[in-house]
Amino acid sequence: MGDQNYTSIEELEKLTAEVNLELEHISDDAQAEAFRIKYLGKKGLLRSLLKSLKDLPEDHRRTFGARANQLRAEVEERFKAAPWKTAGMEQRDRSFDPTLPGLPIPSGSIHPLSKMQQEICDIFVSMGFEIAEGPEAETEYYNFTALNFPPHHPARDMQDTFFISDAALLRTHTSPVQIRVMEKGEPPIRCIMPGRVYRNEEINARSYCLFGQIEGLYVDENVSMADLKGTLLGFARRFFDEDTAIKIRPSFFPFTEPSIEIDIKCFLCKGEGCSVCKHSGWLEVLGAGMVHPNVLAAGGVVGDKYTGFAFGLGIDRLALLKYGIDDIRLFYENDMRFLRQF
Ligand code: PHE
């Protein structure tokens, strides 16, 4: 560089082409600096061109000088535009600023009933239960007949059940899934079956036409009432607190014999009596019992060696208690102000 003497217009045009090509190939700041020194600096080629003007014949000097000046101005301008800095962003929107913080993405929350169901299932799963599911639209056979409801049992009445047709209905409890699980598998069976159930009941603060249940079933050799009690006490201690107590009362369900209902010591007043437990100190939380032999038979579990226990608990009721909510309808209205609290 600098050794060569540019004197003709052709040489100048050749130089122009070379300079432009080099400028186009600059891809970073280091190359840009080298380019600047080579062509535009104090001792750069484009400046030294003008220095050689004095040696040129008078008539040629004017055209050559004008072209050399023009070349330098153009190159300086193109160089200042720093094309290598935006190369690669050509295709993109240049107004995009990747350093700005992102806009917040509005996120939903888990419905309190789903949360409750998840929490309950997690406890039973940790005890070795598996999760099973069944259809919400059931047949009369699975919902009633297989569960040992006598033909004219009042629960089959239109009052309680939403019938879809003569034989099809919306299940009134999750117990039909017991039959489906027994039909498919062999003992030992340890299953919990969460899901929605429907009842044709009056809608008020305490009851709704649909709600969530979790059914439990354990069928194996030598399953006894003591296993039922131990399992549910273990659950209550994990779900409520370590020193909660349970109370067992006799009850009746067609599909269990004997049948029981389980109350849990009120976790709010610790049994002292408060408005939530209606001053009894106890909360009714679930129905349970030893699986009726007719139900085992309907599920295809044969042989005298197998016995089982089953239980069914209401998710909505536990959620009302746990979150201190006084109106069950809030769970189904999907009012965002309510749901955002969970
Ligand atoms: N299916 C009963 C109900 O809906 C609850 C239950 C389940 C009772 C299993 C005993 C055994 O009320």
Side-chain angles (χ1 to χ4, degrees), residues 282-314:
W282 296 91
L283 301 165
E284 286 173 28
V285 289
L286 58 91
M290 299 306 294
V291 182
H292 195 289
N294 291 353
V295 174
L296 289 175
V301 174
V302 287
D304 291 342
K305 58 178 179 172
Y306 294 120
T307 52
F309 71 66
F311 59 86
L313 57 87

Side-chain angles (χ1 to χ4, degrees), residues 172-173 175 178 199 213 215 253 255-256 287-289 310-312:
T172 59
H173 52 179
S175 300
Q178 285 188 34
R199 286 188 200 171
Q213 279 193 335
E215 191 83 9
F253 301 101
F255 36 92
T256 45
F311 59 86

Side-chain angles (χ1 to χ4, degrees), residues 86-107:
T86 48
M89 277 188 69
E90 224 86 16
Q91 255 61 27
R92 289 190 239 140
D93 177 2
R94 288 196 192 177
S95 65
F96 173 70
D97 181 352
T99 62
L100 286 176
L103 295 174
I105 299 166
S107 64

Side-chain angles (χ1 to χ4, degrees), residues 197-261:
V197 305
Y198 301 81
R199 286 188 200 171
N200 194 0
E201 272 171 20
E202 191 200 333
I203 293 172
N204 58 43
R206 293 268 137 199
S207 78
Y208 200 68
C209 53
L210 71 104
F211 54 96
Q213 279 193 335
I214 296 184
E215 191 83 9
L217 176 68
Y218 178 27
V219 181
D220 200 353
E221 290 178 35
N222 304 316
V223 175
S224 71
M225 204 71 165
D227 297 314
L228 173 58
K229 187 183 163 192
T231 303
L232 294 175
L233 183 60
F235 163 75
R237 286 186 172 160
R238 294 262 307 267
F239 187 75
F240 294 105
D241 62 58
E242 260 311 306
D243 43 36
T244 197
I246 62 174
K247 184 164 79 176
I248 294 178
R249 287 182 289 113
S251 185
F252 174 79
F253 301 101
F255 36 92
T256 45
E257 181 60 38
S259 300
I260 59 172
E261 262 173 82

